[in-house]
Coordinates of all heavy atoms in Angstrom, one line a residue:
I865 N -9.0 -17.8 -16.1 CA -8.0 -17.3 -17.1 C -6.6 -17.3 -16.4 O -5.6 -17.7 -17.0 CB -8.4 -15.8 -17.5 CG1 -9.4 -15.9 -18.5 CG2 -7.3 -15.3 -18.3 CD1 -10.1 -14.7 -19.0
A866 N -6.6 -16.8 -15.1 CA -5.3 -16.7 -14.4 C -4.6 -18.1 -14.2 O -3.4 -18.2 -14.3 CB -5.5 -15.9 -13.2
A867 N -5.6 -19.0 -14.0 CA -5.0 -20.4 -13.7 C -4.7 -21.2 -15.0 O -3.7 -22.0 -14.9 CB -6.1 -21.2 -12.9
R868 N -5.3 -20.9 -16.1 CA -5.1 -21.8 -17.3 C -4.5 -21.1 -18.5 O -3.8 -21.8 -19.2 CB -6.5 -22.4 -17.7 CG -7.1 -23.2 -16.6 CD -8.7 -23.5 -17.0 NE -9.4 -24.2 -15.8 CZ -10.7 -24.3 -15.9 NH1 -11.3 -24.0 -17.0 NH2 -11.4 -24.8 -14.8
E869 N -4.6 -19.8 -18.5 CA -4.2 -19.1 -19.8 C -3.1 -17.9 -19.5 O -2.5 -17.6 -20.4 CB -5.4 -18.5 -20.5 CG -6.5 -19.4 -20.9 CD -7.5 -18.8 -21.7 OE1 -7.4 -17.8 -22.5 OE2 -8.7 -18.9 -21.4
G870 N -2.9 -17.7 -18.3 CA -1.7 -16.8 -18.0 C -2.2 -15.3 -18.0 O -3.2 -14.9 -18.3
T871 N -1.2 -14.4 -17.6 CA -1.3 -13.1 -17.3 C -1.6 -12.3 -18.6 O -2.3 -11.3 -18.7 CB -0.1 -12.4 -16.7 OG1 0.9 -12.6 -17.5 CG2 0.0 -13.0 -15.4
A872 N -1.1 -12.7 -19.9 CA -1.4 -12.0 -21.1 C -3.0 -11.9 -21.4 O -3.5 -11.0 -21.8 CB -0.6 -12.6 -22.2
E873 N -3.6 -13.1 -21.3 CA -5.1 -13.1 -21.5 C -5.8 -12.4 -20.5 O -6.8 -11.7 -20.8 CB -5.5 -14.6 -21.6 CG -7.0 -14.7 -21.9 CD -7.5 -14.1 -23.3 OE1 -6.5 -14.0 -24.1 OE2 -8.7 -13.9 -23.4
L874 N -5.3 -12.4 -19.2 CA -5.9 -11.6 -18.2 C -5.9 -10.3 -18.5 O -6.9 -9.4 -18.3 CB -5.3 -12.1 -16.9 CG -6.0 -11.3 -15.6 CD1 -7.4 -11.6 -15.5 CD2 -5.2 -11.7 -14.4
S875 N -4.8 -9.9 -18.9 CA -4.6 -8.4 -19.2 C -5.5 -8.0 -20.3 O -6.0 -6.8 -20.1 CB -3.1 -8.1 -19.6 OG -2.8 -6.7 -20.0
R876 N -5.6 -8.8 -21.3 CA -6.5 -8.4 -22.5 C -7.9 -8.3 -22.0 O -8.8 -7.3 -22.3 CB -6.5 -9.4 -23.5 CG -7.2 -9.1 -24.9 CD -7.0 -10.2 -25.8 NE -7.8 -11.4 -25.4 CZ -9.3 -11.6 -25.6 NH1 -9.8 -10.6 -26.3 NH2 -9.9 -12.6 -25.3
T877 N -8.3 -9.2 -21.2 CA -9.8 -9.1 -20.6 C -9.9 -8.0 -19.6 O -11.0 -7.3 -19.8 CB -10.0 -10.5 -19.7 OG1 -9.9 -11.5 -20.5 CG2 -11.5 -10.4 -19.2
L878 N -9.0 -7.6 -19.0 CA -9.1 -6.4 -18.0 C -9.2 -5.2 -18.8 O -9.8 -4.1 -18.6 CB -8.0 -6.4 -17.2 CG -7.9 -7.4 -16.0 CD1 -6.6 -7.3 -15.2 CD2 -9.0 -7.0 -14.9
R879 N -8.3 -5.1 -20.0 CA -8.5 -3.9 -20.9 C -9.9 -3.8 -21.6 O -10.4 -2.5 -21.5 CB -7.3 -4.2 -22.0 CG -7.1 -2.9 -22.8 CD -5.9 -3.1 -23.8 NE -4.7 -3.6 -23.0 CZ -4.2 -4.7 -23.2 NH1 -4.7 -5.7 -23.9 NH2 -3.1 -5.1 -22.5
R880 N -10.4 -4.7 -22.0 CA -11.9 -4.6 -22.5 C -12.8 -4.2 -21.3 O -13.7 -3.4 -21.7 CB -12.2 -5.9 -23.1 CG -11.4 -6.3 -24.4 CD -11.8 -7.7 -24.8 NE -13.0 -7.6 -25.4 CZ -13.7 -8.8 -25.9 NH1 -13.0 -9.9 -25.9 NH2 -14.9 -8.7 -26.4
T881 N -12.7 -4.9 -20.2 CA -13.5 -4.5 -19.0 C -13.5 -2.9 -18.7 O -14.4 -2.3 -18.4 CB -13.3 -5.4 -17.8 OG1 -13.4 -6.8 -18.2 CG2 -14.3 -5.0 -16.7
L882 N -12.2 -2.5 -18.6 CA -11.8 -1.2 -18.2 C -12.5 -0.2 -19.4 O -13.0 0.9 -18.9 CB -10.4 -0.9 -18.2 CG -9.8 0.5 -17.8 CD1 -10.5 1.0 -16.5 CD2 -8.3 0.6 -17.8
E883 N -12.4 -0.5 -20.7 CA -13.0 0.4 -21.6 C -14.5 0.5 -21.4 O -15.0 1.6 -21.5 CB -12.7 -0.3 -23.0 CG -13.4 0.5 -24.3 CD -12.9 0.0 -25.5 OE1 -12.2 -1.0 -25.6 OE2 -13.5 0.6 -26.5
G884 N -15.2 -0.6 -21.1 CA -16.6 -0.5 -20.9 C -16.9 0.3 -19.7 O -17.8 1.2 -19.7
L885 N -16.1 0.3 -18.5 CA -16.4 1.0 -17.3 C -16.1 2.5 -17.6 O -17.0 3.4 -17.2 CB -15.4 0.5 -16.3 CG -15.6 -0.8 -15.4 CD1 -14.6 -1.1 -14.6 CD2 -17.0 -0.8 -14.8
V886 N -15.2 2.8 -18.5 CA -14.8 4.2 -18.9 C -16.1 4.8 -19.6 O -16.5 6.0 -19.2 CB -13.6 4.4 -19.7 CG1 -13.6 5.6 -20.4 CG2 -12.3 4.2 -18.8
L887 N -16.6 4.1 -20.5 CA -17.8 4.5 -21.3 C -18.9 4.8 -20.4 O -19.7 5.7 -20.8 CB -18.1 3.5 -22.5 CG -17.0 3.5 -23.5 CD1 -17.3 2.4 -24.6 CD2 -16.8 4.8 -24.3
F888 N -19.3 3.8 -19.5 CA -20.5 4.0 -18.8 C -20.2 5.0 -17.4 O -21.3 5.6 -17.3 CB -20.9 2.6 -18.1 CG -21.5 1.8 -19.3 CD1 -21.0 0.7 -19.9 CD2 -22.9 2.0 -19.5 CE1 -21.7 0.0 -20.9 CE2 -23.6 1.3 -20.4 CZ -22.9 0.4 -21.1
L889 N -19.3 4.8 -16.8 CA -19.1 5.5 -15.5 C -18.8 6.9 -15.6 O -19.3 7.7 -14.7 CB -18.1 4.8 -14.6 CG -18.5 3.3 -14.1 CD1 -17.5 2.7 -13.3 CD2 -19.9 3.4 -13.3
L890 N -18.1 7.5 -16.5 CA -17.6 9.0 -16.6 C -18.8 9.7 -16.8 O -19.2 10.6 -16.0 CB -16.8 9.1 -17.7 CG -15.3 8.6 -17.5 CD1 -14.5 9.0 -18.6 CD2 -14.7 9.3 -16.3
P891 N -19.9 9.4 -17.7 CA -21.1 10.3 -17.8 C -22.0 10.1 -16.6 O -22.7 11.0 -16.2 CB -21.7 9.7 -19.1 CG -21.2 8.3 -19.2 CD -19.8 8.4 -18.7
V892 N -22.1 8.8 -15.9 CA -22.9 8.7 -14.7 C -22.4 9.5 -13.6 O -23.2 10.1 -12.9 CB -23.0 7.2 -14.4 CG1 -23.6 7.0 -13.1 CG2 -23.8 6.4 -15.5
T893 N -21.1 9.5 -13.4 CA -20.5 10.3 -12.5 C -20.9 11.8 -12.6 O -21.3 12.5 -11.7 CB -19.0 10.2 -12.4 OG1 -18.7 8.8 -12.1 CG2 -18.4 11.1 -11.3
A894 N -20.7 12.3 -13.9 CA -21.0 13.8 -14.2 C -22.4 14.0 -14.0 O -22.9 15.0 -13.3 CB -20.5 14.0 -15.7
G895 N -23.3 13.2 -14.4 CA -24.8 13.3 -14.3 C -25.2 13.4 -12.8 O -26.0 14.1 -12.3
S896 N -24.6 12.5 -11.9 CA -24.9 12.4 -10.5 C -24.5 13.5 -9.8 O -25.3 14.0 -8.9 CB -24.2 11.1 -9.9 OG -24.6 9.9 -10.5
V897 N -23.4 14.2 -10.2 CA -22.9 15.4 -9.5 C -23.8 16.6 -9.9 O -24.3 17.4 -9.0 CB -21.5 15.7 -9.9 CG1 -21.0 17.1 -9.4 CG2 -20.5 14.6 -9.3
V898 N -24.1 16.8 -11.1 CA -24.8 17.9 -11.5 C -26.3 17.8 -11.2 O -26.9 18.9 -10.7 CB -24.6 17.9 -13.1 CG1 -25.6 19.2 -13.6 CG2 -23.2 18.3 -13.5
L899 N -26.9 16.5 -11.3 CA -28.3 16.6 -10.9 C -28.6 16.0 -9.5 O -29.6 15.5 -9.2 CB -28.9 15.5 -11.9 CG -28.9 15.8 -13.4 CD1 -29.4 14.8 -14.1 CD2 -29.5 17.2 -13.7
A900 N -27.6 16.3 -8.6 CA -27.7 15.5 -7.2 C -29.0 16.3 -6.6 O -29.9 15.5 -5.9 CB -26.5 16.0 -6.5
L901 N -29.2 17.6 -6.8 CA -30.5 18.2 -5.9 C -31.7 17.7 -6.5 O -32.5 17.2 -5.6 CB -30.2 19.7 -6.1 CG -31.4 20.4 -5.3 CD1 -31.2 20.1 -3.8 CD2 -31.2 22.0 -5.5
P902 N -32.0 17.6 -7.8 CA -33.3 17.2 -8.2 C -33.4 15.7 -8.1 O -34.6 15.1 -7.6 CB -33.3 17.5 -9.8 CG -31.9 17.8 -10.2 CD -31.2 18.4 -8.9
V903 N -32.3 14.9 -8.0 CA -32.5 13.4 -7.8 C -32.8 13.2 -6.3 O -33.8 12.4 -6.2 CB -31.2 12.7 -8.2 CG1 -31.1 11.3 -7.6 CG2 -30.9 12.7 -9.6

């Protein structure tokens, strides 16, 4: 993308990736902290 389509498309792809990371990693982080001892 960076080589052929430029920074605008790269920014759009990063934005979609970031949204997925936010949805997945925030609850996983909270669960890991709270459940550390039983895990």
Side-chain angles (χ1 to χ4, degrees):
I865 289 175
R868 302 171 189 174
E869 301 181 44
T871 57
E873 182 62 22
L874 179 61
S875 178
R876 188 181 72 85
T877 304
L878 285 171
R879 193 176 298 117
R880 295 177 65 183
T881 305
L882 179 57
E883 182 178 350
L885 289 178
V886 165
L887 290 177
F888 277 102
L889 291 178
L890 286 181
V892 171
T893 298
S896 299
V897 172
V898 175
L899 300 177
L901 185 60
V903 167

